[in-house]
Amino acid sequence: MHSRFDAILPAPFGKVGVRTEGETIREIVYLPAGTPPVAPASAVAQRLARQLEAYYADPDAPLDVPLAAAGTGFQRRVWQAIAAIPRGKVTTYGAMARGLASVPRAVGQACGSNAFPLVIPCHRVVAAGGLGGFAHHSEDGFLLETKRWLLRHEGVLLI
């Protein structure tokens, strides 16, 4: 079922599916805990697995694997702004939109289209009134629980 992933790695909140392209990460996907693991076969997937294990033990551990080119120009600007948010901090879609001369909905769409969650920490962008959505999901469930776990892990106490 999930054999299209080059690795499926354990995570405290479930699993992380990884797709690679050459020596780069092409996509990272949050998966439910019951997803069968797949050992990383490539060097870049093995490097990401080691870095994720370190991050789960210490939220200050760096995630710096090479990423494949992805996204529109606007999405890349949003992702660059997200990558600048320090661990333990959050910003709102509105604040990010103001900084990019855009609107919150467009920023939210770019966040949801982030192909590299964790490495580009879109969980650090929240709504003005609370948690906000995550990975194009706004209903309670697995993905919002993942966002809550990541924020708690990084020392942010939200909902």
Side-chain angles (χ1 to χ4, degrees):
M1 174 176 157
H2 292 287
S3 61
R4 65 183 192 267
F5 291 103
D6 298 302
I8 298 178
L9 309 171
F13 47 78
K15 297 282 190 334
V16 174
V18 180
R19 292 186 181 101
T20 61
E21 184 174 282
E23 288 305 309
T24 63
I25 300 297
R26 182 169 54 94
E27 186 177 24
I28 298 170
V29 179
Y30 296 117
L31 301 170
T35 306
V38 173
S42 70
V44 71
Q46 291 169 357
R47 179 176 166 190
L48 178 62
R50 286 190 305 274
Q51 289 184 8
L52 288 175
E53 287 175 15
Y55 168 78
Y56 300 144
D58 175 1
D60 288 321
L63 298 171
D64 63 359
V65 292
L67 304 175
T72 66
F74 176 73
Q75 288 172 334
R76 288 190 301 271
R77 284 181 36 230
V78 171
W79 300 341
Q80 184 176 27
I82 291 169
I85 303 168
R87 196 253 335 135
K89 304 289 183 192
V90 295
T91 192
T92 64
Y93 299 103
M96 184 164 281
R98 284 187 298 280
L100 294 168
S102 185
V103 296
R105 185 175 299 271
V107 168
Q109 289 297 313
C111 287
S113 297
N114 174 14
F116 312 108
L118 294 166
V119 178
I120 298 173
C122 52
H123 58 275
R124 296 177 188 162
V125 183
V126 299
L131 191 62
F134 195 50
H136 291 303
H137 288 78
S138 58
E139 300 295 318
D140 242 355
F142 164 70
L143 288 168
L144 288 183
E145 284 305 312
T146 299
K147 184 172 184 173
R148 284 184 186 98
W149 187 93
L150 291 166
L151 290 171
R152 282 191 307 266
H153 178 60
E154 295 184 351
V156 178
L157 300 176
L158 284 178
I159 306 169

